[in-house]
Amino acid sequence: MLNDSMQAVVPALYTILEDSLNLSLAQVGWIGFMLNMTSSVMQPVVGAFSDKRSLPIMLPIGMGLSLIGMLGIAFAPQFWYLLFAVVFVGLGSAIFHPEGSRVVYFAAGGRRGFAQSVYQVGGNAGSSLAPLMTIFIFAPLGQIGAVWGTLFAALAIAVLLGLLPWYRRKLKEWETARAQAAASSAAGNGGATLVQRASHPRVKFAMGMLVFLVFARSWYHAGISSFYQFYLISDYGLTKQQAQIPVFLFLAAGVLGTYFGGVLADRFGLKNMIVFSIAGASPLALLLPHLPLAWVYPLIAVLGFVILSGFSVAVVYAQFLMPANVGMASGMTTGLAFGMGAIGGVALGNAADAYGLHSVMFACSFLPLVGLFAFFLPTDRPKKQ
């Protein structure tokens, strides 16, 4: 929650930065791109490295980089300085997430969906604070209010330092088990199933499809979290503070959806929840741009609940496909796919400047239809004998 609260500072400042630094919507899109691309593309790299040699101290180091980024955002005098500061926040998140997912993997026991959903609930709760930060901190204080983000970083570093002894102990147990599996594989005792599973063609197809689905969802999420507030101001005549409320409802309902999605996935299956979360949101997304304001509030809350109910499930499904590469699997679903979504932020910002926000929001409403491809994912449920 603390990590994603720092990331939430950036979109929370969009409307403030647009005025203080005289930014265009395209530049707003580039800010989101730098944040998400840095935090996302680096995640599979960090995950692959930590699968071979995990360093628990990377967790507080990542938070330290985010702290530097928060200070840079607060005092950035122009657009390019702001982009540089945002990179530090992104790098800190890229280091934190794969290691954090491994901590959850160790703590989960047999309830992987539930454990990952609790972890992602923390992240989504932090992200959902963005509109409230705009209303209560950044609207009164302006850009300098980003200094408050350093408190999130300092508290997170303290929490992680307390977690390190337990994490080191669990990591040694995991490395011992992995060495035994490798030895079993070399001896021809069937251990190759665990170690080599990631190279299977069916696994590669499933991972590619999963990343593509999360990519489409990330484009839509970028449209709502970054640009829907501008759409509400221009098309519905809301103030900056009033425009934060529907966005907050979307993100806050997504927190609940993330939790219940993980719980239901343990019962009904990972693939089934992924299908429901993305494809099930399609009719709601198609309706949203055409509703009167009174109907926007309840529908966008339900939409946030449904579409984010598969957020944590996608990570667990990737870990199911690649059990010997937990860090890389987590990095690809929470990282690389969101990096692709960051490209969507830039594309949407440029399209909004060129064609208008109304046209962009209408086009975005079709993105969840991509979720129908989830039917092609292999099942994670054992076949009944």
Side-chain angles (χ1 to χ4, degrees), residues 110-153:
R111 302 182 67 191
R112 296 268 163 78
F114 168 75
Q116 188 67 31
S117 70
V118 171
Y119 176 52
Q120 301 293 164
V121 159
N124 286 355
S127 298
S128 70
L129 294 176
L132 298 182
M133 291 180 187
T134 302
I135 295 172
F136 296 110
I137 299 176
F138 303 131
L141 299 180
Q143 182 180 341
I144 194 68
V147 170
W148 283 94
T150 60
L151 297 179
F152 295 132

Side-chain angles (χ1 to χ4, degrees), residues 117 120-121 124 253-262 305 308-309 311-312:
S117 70
Q120 301 293 164
V121 159
N124 286 355
V255 175
L256 293 176
T258 298
Y259 173 77
F260 285 104
F305 182 93
L308 289 177
S309 64
F311 188 76
S312 63

Side-chain angles (χ1 to χ4, degrees), residues 83-364:
L83 283 186
F84 186 66
V86 163
V87 166
F88 277 87
V89 179
L91 285 174
S93 183
I95 293 171
F96 170 77
H97 274 115
E99 286 296 304
S101 291
R102 196 190 313 278
V103 170
V104 174
Y105 186 85
F106 290 160
R111 302 182 67 191
R112 296 268 163 78
F114 168 75
Q116 188 67 31
S117 70
V118 171
Y119 176 52
Q120 301 293 164
V121 159
N124 286 355
S127 298
S128 70
L129 294 176
L132 298 182
M133 291 180 187
T134 302
I135 295 172
F136 296 110
I137 299 176
F138 303 131
L141 299 180
Q143 182 180 341
I144 194 68
V147 170
W148 283 94
T150 60
L151 297 179
F152 295 132
L155 181 57
I157 291 171
V159 171
L160 290 171
L161 289 175
L163 180 66
L164 288 186
W166 177 89
Y167 183 31
R168 289 194 179 100
R169 185 171 67 253
K170 287 291 182 180
L171 191 60
K172 288 182 180 179
E173 295 173 3
W174 180 68
E175 289 174 345
T176 300
R178 188 169 65 168
Q180 291 173 348
S184 178
S185 173
N189 296 329
T193 302
L194 174 66
V195 177
Q196 299 176 8
R197 192 175 183 181
S199 64
H200 194 285
R202 195 181 185 197
V203 172
K204 291 181 178 179
F205 167 79
M207 280 300 300
M209 180 64 69
L210 184 65
V211 169
F212 175 67
L213 292 171
V214 178
F215 161 55
R217 185 185 63 200
S218 299
W219 271 58
Y220 186 75
H221 193 276
I224 298 297
S225 61
S226 298
F227 296 105
Y228 192 63
Q229 54 187 310
F230 296 104
Y231 174 72
L232 290 169
I233 293 170
S234 63
D235 278 44
Y236 289 89
L238 301 184
T239 65
K240 290 179 182 178
Q241 287 89 342
Q242 291 170 338
Q244 305 304 317
I245 296 174
V247 179
F248 172 73
L249 291 174
F250 175 81
L251 298 173
V255 175
L256 293 176
T258 298
Y259 173 77
F260 285 104
V263 173
L264 293 173
D266 284 333
R267 180 173 181 180
F268 297 107
L270 301 170
K271 174 187 172 179
N272 293 335
M273 280 307 303
I274 292 171
V275 171
F276 168 75
S277 69
I278 307 178
S282 299
L284 302 174
L286 290 169
L287 277 173
L288 184 62
H290 310 288
L291 293 174
L293 182 61
W295 282 97
V296 166
Y297 298 101
L299 185 134
I300 201 170
V302 176
L303 175 60
F305 182 93
V306 174
I307 202 167
L308 289 177
S309 64
F311 188 76
S312 63
V313 179
V315 181
V316 181
Y317 186 81
Q319 294 173 348
F320 159 77
L321 293 171
M322 302 170 62
N325 302 94
V326 175
M328 182 181 290
S330 303
M332 290 182 69
T333 45
T334 61
L336 182 60
F338 275 96
M340 296 180 187
I343 299 173
V346 175
L348 293 174
N350 282 281
D353 283 337
Y355 304 107
L357 277 169
H358 185 84
S359 298
V360 169
M361 288 295 109
F362 177 75
C364 278

Side-chain angles (χ1 to χ4, degrees), residues 357-383:
L357 277 169
H358 185 84
S359 298
V360 169
M361 288 295 109
F362 177 75
C364 278
S365 67
F366 289 89
L367 285 172
L369 289 172
V370 174
L372 296 175
F373 285 103
F375 285 104
F376 295 103
L377 291 172
T379 183
D380 58 290
R381 309 289 280 181
K383 293 182 179 181

